[in-house]
Amino acid sequence: MDILRFITAGSVDDGKSTLIGRLLYDSKSIMIDQLEAIERQTKNRGEGDIDLALLTDGLRAEREQGITIDVAYKYFSTPRRKFIIADAPGHIQYTRNMVTGASNADLIIILVDARNGVIEQTRRHSIIASLLNIPHVVVAINKMDIVGYSQDTYNNIVIDFAKVAASLGLKNVTYIPISALDGDNIVDRSENFSWYEGEPLLHLLENVEVASDVDLTHARFPVQYVIRPQTDVLHDYRGYAGKLISGIYRKGDKVTVLPSGVQSKIKAIEIGGKEIEEAFAPQSIVLHLEDNIDVSRGDVIVASNDLPKVAQELDILICWMGNKPLAAGNRYLLQINSRLVKSIVKEIHYKLNVNSLEQEPSPELVSLNDIVKATIKTASPVAYDVYTDLRVNGGAILIDETSNVTVGACMIQ
Amino acid sequence: MSQYRLDHLEQLESEAIHIMREVAGQFEKPALLFSGGKDSITLVHLALKTFRPGKFPFPLVHIDTGHNFREALDFRDELADKIGEKLIVRKVADTIKQQNLTEPKGKFASRNALQTFTLLDTINEFKFDACIGGARRDEEKARAKERIFSVRDEFGQWDPKLQRPELWNTYNGRIHKGENVRVFPISNWTELDIWNYIRRENIDLPSIYFAHNREVLEYEGQLVATSEFIQLEETDKISIRKVRYRTVGDMTCTAAVESTASNIDDIIKEIIATKTSERGETRIDDRVSEAAMEDRKKSGYF
């Protein structure tokens, strides 16, 4: 059994909550007391049918307004897989919350209302999927019951979306007609879609191959913490604790510590206190090097024959998440894995219109939820990979040093 | 190919270890909140895997309401002793005295809300800047919304509308003086994941997690152990039942479940078959309102 992390993009009107409720309900992940609780709430409001959205909207403000404000994480499992759903808001004013949910996702379900087809929101969600480089995209064309299970409607939406996917370079796109309300094509194949030859949604989620999304080629090990017991017995013990975010390491491998560039060899690898011969991503391990060199938190230990880029000037796509505007000349802390450096925004090249994908050169104002291309300069060198090549070592955050808030999600280009 | 794959428990374990190392790397004075319950016992086990052969970079801290199960307290002391890590205990009873707080009244007079006072005092006393806790997102709908690094103001309050974006596996633990961060390494684990992990790793638990005979009071469909902390009335229906605990909180607000499961395998079977959620079945304190947990978190609770 492994894990699939996926995000659902859409609004309540598209049937997002109904879809999640359906998946939880049909996989028996909703318990009787939880169902009773939402029944009580629905009754208290004098409404009729059970509102499955109450299951996912965890905050009082969300329930009052009937909207999703922030990401909620939901869990269910089948004998094959554990699923982690990031239930993210779909509206444009919550783009930052959606980006938060999308950053860890292996797969995105983009919900399309069959009556409306591909709309502005669909494009925006697709752009986020493309920016965050989510490996798998499922376009769930919902409310097919309302359009009479029409194959033509479905085909037209597929043709429209394929154009969007092509312009964004989205890979691994799967289309599926569903009716979340009736459970059509969710767990079981529905007879209403005799013309549909694909598999039902849950089957697809259970079988999509995600293990190969873990990069086992480029060994990258950001040091988080140095373990030094300093006891009599373990006087010389010095272990570098961290997670192997990509690649494989074996005892004896030649490694380079970045950004210093000092080389050494792996003397030993430990996991949970036991020595092992090799480790692979995403294991949390302890590394020992042959040479006594200066290594501390913020350094990255990489394979010497496969170095990442090291630079002080970075071209990045930023999803701006701050309430105060982003402007050239502003200073922020940049955090990439365990490395934290001071940085300054040198230039903002363009703003991306998230609905039309057009680039607006030299924007006057960059505010919350805007996506821009910028160049930043860091106070010391940063070891990174291009985000689209290696997601785990190409994403960084910007922190406002005065408020300590995370204000930007950066995809390094 | 398959030799380079982690199963779900190994992935969750690696994620939890990564989070704990971020705490060690980012904070000056962290603490691990330890109650003697299965989730915090799992945290301690993970901390051993995270930091050994080194010492933990934090003490274990228990906020003792005075209404705890004896078995959990004994287990707490034995475990801290066995692994040789520092345990700090602070008592709600002392806070009540010092601050002249009002003891709750009623049949199940719970100190659950008062616990927050002692927790905040303890954070203040030791200047803790990060507290690691065993909360899981599958437990409750407000918890489902919380970040792994959850920033609290100097009153310990959670503001659900002003949460920091949490991207990839990058955790921003920067805070102002007086603020602290609650860190939840097992956010993404479900109840069943915990039990399967306990089985795989052979983790010891207090005896009350396994079926045993106990005198209980039947109250609104829940079985509450009789104890000096609960006011009994003549009309109360009391009997000896074979029960186990699915969660371990205060004796005043934790209910037992009828069970014959005397080992982990049987417990897992029962949990797979159950139709009631963990907190729904065992916690009296969540029934107050649909936003009970959200409200407690906003006022500094875990």
Side-chain angles (χ1 to χ4, degrees), chain B residues 24 88 99 128 139 159 168 176 198 211 240 257 284:
Chain B
I88 294 169
Q99 300 192 14
F128 290 134
E139 282 180 80
D159 186 345
W168 302 290
H176 294 290
I198 286 169
I240 306 259
V257 297
I284 304 171

Short mmCIF file of all heavy atoms in Angstrom, two decimals, chain B residues 24 88 99 128 139 159 168 176 198 211 240 257 284:
data_model
loop_
_atom_site.label_atom_id
_atom_site.label_comp_id
_atom_site.label_asym_id
_atom_site.label_seq_id
_atom_site.Cartn_x
_atom_site.Cartn_y
_atom_site.Cartn_z
N ALA B 24 14.07 20.69 15.41
CA ALA B 24 15.40 20.73 16.05
C ALA B 24 16.29 21.78 15.39
O ALA B 24 17.08 22.45 16.04
CB ALA B 24 16.05 19.35 15.98
N ILE B 88 9.10 16.90 32.12
CA ILE B 88 8.61 18.02 32.94
C ILE B 88 7.11 17.84 33.12
O ILE B 88 6.38 17.65 32.13
CB ILE B 88 8.89 19.38 32.24
CG1 ILE B 88 10.40 19.62 32.15
CG2 ILE B 88 8.20 20.51 32.98
CD1 ILE B 88 10.79 20.78 31.25
N GLN B 99 -3.79 30.90 40.30
CA GLN B 99 -4.54 31.93 39.56
C GLN B 99 -5.96 32.07 40.05
O GLN B 99 -6.74 32.83 39.46
CB GLN B 99 -4.54 31.61 38.07
CG GLN B 99 -3.15 31.55 37.48
CD GLN B 99 -3.20 31.51 35.96
OE1 GLN B 99 -4.22 31.79 35.35
NE2 GLN B 99 -2.08 31.18 35.35
N PHE B 128 9.34 28.13 25.93
CA PHE B 128 9.28 27.22 24.79
C PHE B 128 8.86 27.99 23.55
O PHE B 128 7.91 28.78 23.58
CB PHE B 128 8.28 26.08 25.04
CG PHE B 128 8.73 25.10 26.08
CD1 PHE B 128 7.87 24.67 27.08
CD2 PHE B 128 10.02 24.57 26.05
CE1 PHE B 128 8.28 23.76 28.05
CE2 PHE B 128 10.44 23.66 27.00
CZ PHE B 128 9.57 23.25 28.01
N GLU B 139 -8.79 13.50 12.99
CA GLU B 139 -9.53 13.43 14.24
C GLU B 139 -10.79 14.27 14.24
O GLU B 139 -11.79 13.90 14.84
CB GLU B 139 -8.66 13.95 15.39
CG GLU B 139 -7.63 13.00 15.90
CD GLU B 139 -6.85 13.66 17.03
OE1 GLU B 139 -7.36 13.67 18.15
OE2 GLU B 139 -5.74 14.17 16.78
N ASP B 159 -5.34 31.45 14.76
CA ASP B 159 -6.25 32.22 13.92
C ASP B 159 -6.41 31.48 12.59
O ASP B 159 -5.56 31.56 11.72
CB ASP B 159 -5.69 33.63 13.68
CG ASP B 159 -6.69 34.49 12.92
OD1 ASP B 159 -7.64 33.92 12.35
OD2 ASP B 159 -6.51 35.72 12.91
N TRP B 168 5.14 22.75 -0.31
CA TRP B 168 6.02 21.58 -0.45
C TRP B 168 6.29 21.00 0.94
O TRP B 168 5.35 20.88 1.71
CB TRP B 168 7.31 21.99 -1.18
CG TRP B 168 7.02 22.55 -2.53
CD1 TRP B 168 6.54 21.84 -3.60
CD2 TRP B 168 7.11 23.92 -2.96
NE1 TRP B 168 6.35 22.69 -4.67
CE2 TRP B 168 6.69 23.95 -4.31
CE3 TRP B 168 7.51 25.10 -2.36
CZ2 TRP B 168 6.67 25.13 -5.06
CZ3 TRP B 168 7.49 26.27 -3.09
CH2 TRP B 168 7.07 26.28 -4.42
N HIS B 176 7.85 35.85 16.20
CA HIS B 176 8.25 36.97 17.05
C HIS B 176 8.38 36.47 18.48
O HIS B 176 7.80 35.46 18.86
CB HIS B 176 7.20 38.08 16.97
CG HIS B 176 7.11 38.72 15.62
ND1 HIS B 176 8.10 39.52 15.12
CD2 HIS B 176 6.15 38.66 14.67
CE1 HIS B 176 7.74 39.95 13.92
NE2 HIS B 176 6.57 39.42 13.61
N ILE B 198 2.08 0.97 15.24
CA ILE B 198 2.37 0.42 16.57
C ILE B 198 2.63 -1.08 16.46
O ILE B 198 3.55 -1.62 17.06
CB ILE B 198 1.19 0.72 17.54
CG1 ILE B 198 1.22 2.21 17.92
CG2 ILE B 198 1.25 -0.16 18.78
CD1 ILE B 198 -0.02 2.69 18.66
N ALA B 211 -8.44 -4.81 26.18
CA ALA B 211 -9.68 -5.15 26.89
C ALA B 211 -9.40 -5.57 28.32
O ALA B 211 -8.50 -6.36 28.59
CB ALA B 211 -10.41 -6.24 26.13
N ILE B 240 -20.09 -3.72 35.65
CA ILE B 240 -18.73 -4.10 35.27
C ILE B 240 -18.78 -4.57 33.82
O ILE B 240 -19.57 -5.44 33.48
CB ILE B 240 -18.20 -5.25 36.14
CG1 ILE B 240 -18.34 -4.89 37.62
CG2 ILE B 240 -16.79 -5.62 35.73
CD1 ILE B 240 -17.10 -4.44 38.31
N VAL B 257 -14.81 1.80 25.18
CA VAL B 257 -15.64 1.05 24.24
C VAL B 257 -15.67 -0.41 24.67
O VAL B 257 -14.67 -0.94 25.17
CB VAL B 257 -15.10 1.15 22.78
CG1 VAL B 257 -15.17 2.59 22.31
CG2 VAL B 257 -13.69 0.62 22.66
N ILE B 284 -16.30 13.02 25.28
CA ILE B 284 -17.51 13.71 25.70
C ILE B 284 -17.37 15.21 25.42
O ILE B 284 -18.33 15.91 25.20
CB ILE B 284 -17.76 13.43 27.20
CG1 ILE B 284 -17.84 11.92 27.42
CG2 ILE B 284 -19.02 14.09 27.68
CD1 ILE B 284 -17.86 11.48 28.85
#
